[in-house]
Amino acid sequence: MSLESLMGGPLRVVNLGLELFAEELRAEGAEVVHVDWRPPAGGNPRLARLLEGLEELDRRED
Amino acid sequence: MALRSIVLPSFYQDSVALMRVAQALRGGEGVREAAALMGTPSNHGILAQAGLASVVIEKAGPNDLILAVLADSGSIAEEALAEAQELLFRRRAPAVPGTAASPRSLDAALRLLPGANLAAISVPGPFAKREAMRALRSGLNVFLFSDNVPVEAEVELKREALARGLLCMGPDCGTAYLNGTPVGFANVVPRGRVGIVAASGTGLQAVACRLAGLGEGISHGIGVGGRDLTARVGGAMTFLVLDLLKRDPRTEIIVLISKPPEAEVLAPLERALAEMGKPAVVCCLGAKPPAKSTARWVETLEDAAQAAAALLKRAPWAPRPFSDPEDVRSRLARLQGGARLGSLLGLYTGGTLAHEAHLLLEPLLGRIPYNEERGDSPHRIVDLGDDAYTVGKPHPMLDPGARAEWVRRAGGAGEAGVLLLDLVLGKAAHADPAKALSEAVRAARADAAKGGRVLHAVASVVGTERDPQGMAGQIRRLEEAGVEVLPSNAEACRLLALLLKPGLAGRMPEEAS
């Protein structure tokens, strides 16, 4: 469903990262919500990977 | 001279926002040097090198924002810091007008935008997989701009996407046109009959722009990531997109742009193309065309656009080295002037264009080291958009400063005789990239002349007149700085080869000689 709506309808976008892309998409008439994203685990990539592993375990258990 | 700095704790900003703040800081009168950076270990190194380190900032971590200014006086520096903070706080406006604050997570964003169909993700590479996976699991297609994403992560993401019938464009996907809407770095091109599947960004941009110049438009343009046709990734997204384009009534013809498919993927790719029921043009840069193919295989991005346009018009077409041989002859006569030109330095912002240049020029000039490769060669081609040059920094299409620095250095102690350049216009790209580039070329040429050397510059521009920067004005700026601007990257490469080795004329078809 989502893929068909992407190719055949208007874009409805969640933007994470460069806010510039959200600005450009809005200018094109797309509906955009920009996430005020911050790096997880205080920006420490190693801790973030561990956190990701824990989240994955948690998801599988659910 | 006074140094002032401040740390804004837990104040994460993306690289483009930081670039804008740093530029505003540097523009102030009496400001000698300034920085706006997150406190990552590598950024602490950069600050120290720039003479901006101080005890105030030494404890700042990766989520803490550092502002530092070196100015003629303490009051100028303090004023600049205050202005930068005001700019930053003003930027933090709500994502949706009328709401209190921006959502801090994908889930919160989805509550604000039910029915979302795409996640555009450009967070730093180490964090990209987590966000992309969450988006896929929430039923969103993904446009993954982030680079420095390991191939294992890519495989997992694409497996998840396929299982859910979703697109995962990227990683390192710079450009897409989805149902007429440009996403990422994209030029203003008309809609039309050509469906493009491309590895990443500039290849798609270059072909879409040339098609526009030939009076044709695109139905969809979808980036799949530079590794999609490797055995490891197995063409996961390429096959999905080909199937989409096969069923898409707007699409009359397909253009596929990629690095060469690995052997395991080539046979299924050929099968998929044969079953399209629509003509296909394949530009797999550096690939040897298979002995038998239903698709038209071409060597360059320019040829891909030309071949597609000819197929649509049902007109005969054959590749030509130069679109205007007479013009090339007169440029050569003007530029050669008996001077020894030495070596080539290619400085690219578009990865696919850099790769194409490397493939076209090595057979003509001999071995050319690429990026950080070392080798016994006077020449070098550098893709400044490569992962290695963009960690923690905006892409060079957004921030022309880093390349301008390389160009300037080539004028001083460098050995370069000819610079080979690209300029990529379009949405999300820098508002006036030709300005920084032409100023740098001017300075480099003047420096070279002081040392008794001649430095030429040859370039091509990817863009359209409808792009925000305007194609003609950008070309004019470059030409005023003495840059030779050719209609395509391939032609720029061939002109450069003839400049460095006039004897090659015999190896290019008669038109150039």
Side-chain angles (χ1 to χ4, degrees):
Chain A
M1 175 58 209
S2 181
L3 186 48
E4 273 70 40
S5 85
L6 187 74
M7 306 299 280
L11 281 191
R12 294 168 68 84
V13 189
V14 175
N15 186 62
L16 294 103
L18 302 179
E19 194 170 4
L20 169 76
F21 287 161
E23 291 162 15
E24 294 288 350
L25 281 163
R26 274 194 202 111
E28 288 295 324
E31 272 191 86
V32 186
V33 170
H34 177 66
V35 174
D36 184 10
W37 183 88
R38 325 240 167 127
N44 180 327
R46 199 166 157 265
L47 276 183
R49 264 199 309 278
L50 290 173
L51 184 67
E52 199 181 310
L54 286 176
E55 283 172 352
E56 185 63 28
L57 273 179
D58 196 35
R59 200 185 67 86
R60 284 189 195 158
E61 276 172 19
D62 277 346
Chain B
M1 202 75 84
L3 171 66
R4 295 285 187 276
S5 36
I6 187 172
V7 175
L8 302 178
S10 296
F11 203 97
Y12 179 79
Q13 293 287 296
D14 70 58
S15 55
V16 176
L18 292 173
M19 174 190 80
R20 288 174 175 172
V21 173
Q23 280 170 350
L25 278 173
R26 283 192 200 107
E29 203 166 318
V31 173
R32 295 303 170 99
E33 186 54 89
L37 294 169
M38 303 312 298
T40 60
S42 62
N43 284 344
H44 278 288
I46 291 170
L47 287 161
Q49 224 172 15
L52 294 170
S54 71
V55 284
V56 180
I57 64 169
E58 66 188 13
K59 289 214 163 62
N63 271 1
D64 304 327
L65 172 58
I66 300 169
L67 299 173
V69 178
L70 189 66
D72 289 344
S73 74
S75 59
I76 292 177
E78 279 151 25
E79 205 172 298
L81 284 179
E83 273 173 32
Q85 287 177 78
E86 201 200 311
L87 190 70
L88 281 161
F89 288 115
R90 216 182 318 136
R91 281 181 46 79
R92 288 216 157 168
V96 177
T99 59
S102 304
R104 296 281 294 270
S105 69
L106 179 71
D107 288 343
L110 285 173
R111 283 195 288 278
L112 289 172
L113 190 66
N117 50 19
L118 181 71
I121 299 176
S122 51
V123 302
F127 309 107
K129 182 197 155 197
R130 177 178 189 244
E131 303 299 345
M133 192 59 97
R134 284 179 168 196
L136 291 168
R137 286 179 180 151
S138 302
L140 300 185
N141 298 283
V142 167
F143 173 84
L144 185 51
F145 179 83
S146 310
D147 57 11
N148 285 299
V149 175
V151 70
E152 300 77 28
E154 177 174 351
V155 170
E156 271 185 64
L157 288 170
K158 288 185 171 172
R159 198 175 291 148
E160 188 73 26
L162 280 184
R164 293 172 183 269
L166 296 168
L167 271 178
C168 177
M169 294 170 267
D172 212 357
C173 177
T175 307
Y177 293 90
L178 302 169
N179 197 29
T181 306
V183 185
F185 291 120
N187 303 88
V188 183
V189 297
R191 286 209 83 182
R193 303 179 280 176
V194 185
I196 307 181
V197 194
S200 45
T202 37
L204 200 164
Q205 288 184 270
V207 172
C209 289
R210 286 302 291 143
L211 280 168
L214 297 164
E216 297 292 345
I218 61 170
S219 53
H220 300 285
I222 299 175
V224 292
R227 296 182 297 223
D228 199 68
L229 291 179
T230 59
R232 201 68 197 279
V233 187
M237 284 301 124
T238 304
F239 293 125
L240 180 65
V241 174
L242 286 177
D243 185 54
L244 276 174
L245 295 177
K246 177 181 173 178
R247 290 183 283 121
D248 176 46
R250 274 180 181 273
T251 304
E252 291 179 29
I253 185 172
I254 316 291
V255 173
L256 173 72
I257 306 157
S258 169
K259 286 179 182 162
E262 286 189 357
E264 294 86 338
V265 191
L266 182 61
L269 177 66
E270 277 292 322
R271 248 192 331 272
L273 291 170
E275 287 164 6
M276 290 291 292
K278 300 177 181 184
V281 175
V282 177
C283 176
C284 288
L285 293 168
K288 244 181 106 170
K292 239 178 84 185
S293 174
T294 51
R296 172 84 198 233
W297 286 63
V298 296
E299 196 189 356
T300 66
L301 299 165
E302 171 70 15
D303 288 352
Q306 297 272 0
L311 272 169
L312 283 167
K313 293 183 175 78
R314 295 190 165 76
W317 174 82
R320 291 188 307 164
F322 293 108
S323 50
D324 185 349
E326 189 51 48
D327 170 67
V328 169
R329 266 193 290 272
S330 71
R331 284 181 198 256
L332 283 170
R334 177 162 46 80
L335 295 169
Q336 269 156 347
R340 189 187 155 273
L341 285 174
S343 57
L344 144 74
L345 178 61
L347 296 172
Y348 277 86
T349 60
T352 307
L353 299 171
H355 182 57
E356 180 182 61
H358 194 239
L359 288 166
L360 283 170
L361 288 170
E362 266 203 334
L364 299 172
L365 300 177
R367 196 180 125 56
I368 303 173
Y370 194 75
N371 289 349
E372 295 305 307
E373 280 176 10
R374 295 271 166 256
D376 186 21
S377 166
H379 310 304
R380 187 177 176 197
I381 292 176
V382 185
D383 164 20
L384 291 165
D386 186 82
D387 292 10
Y389 303 100
T390 56
V391 179
K393 285 192 230 160
H395 191 279
M397 282 183 207
L398 288 163
D399 181 3
R403 179 168 64 173
E405 219 22 69
W406 279 76
V407 169
R408 283 203 176 89
R409 281 203 300 270
E415 283 295 304
V418 189
L419 296 172
L420 177 60
L421 308 161
D422 65 348
L423 195 74
V424 184
L425 313 180
K427 288 168 178 290
H430 190 270
D432 186 1
K435 181 168 185 279
L437 185 58
S438 56
E439 282 169 3
V441 168
R442 265 205 189 91
R445 284 164 64 91
D447 276 351
K450 272 186 225 152
R453 292 190 299 125
V454 177
L455 180 66
H456 288 308
V458 179
S460 62
V461 180
V462 171
T464 71
E465 206 41 63
R466 288 168 61 208
D467 280 333
Q469 301 87 352
M471 176 94 160
Q474 292 286 295
I475 291 178
R476 199 164 47 244
R477 243 189 215 285
L478 293 180
E479 287 179 338
E480 282 165 5
V483 180
E484 299 295 318
V485 183
L486 277 285
S488 71
N489 185 45
E491 290 199 34
C493 291
R494 293 187 188 115
L495 174 77
L496 175 137
L498 288 174
L499 263 176
L500 289 179
K501 271 193 173 180
L504 284 172
R507 279 175 59 189
M508 289 191 202
E510 68 292 345
E511 298 160 272
S513 52

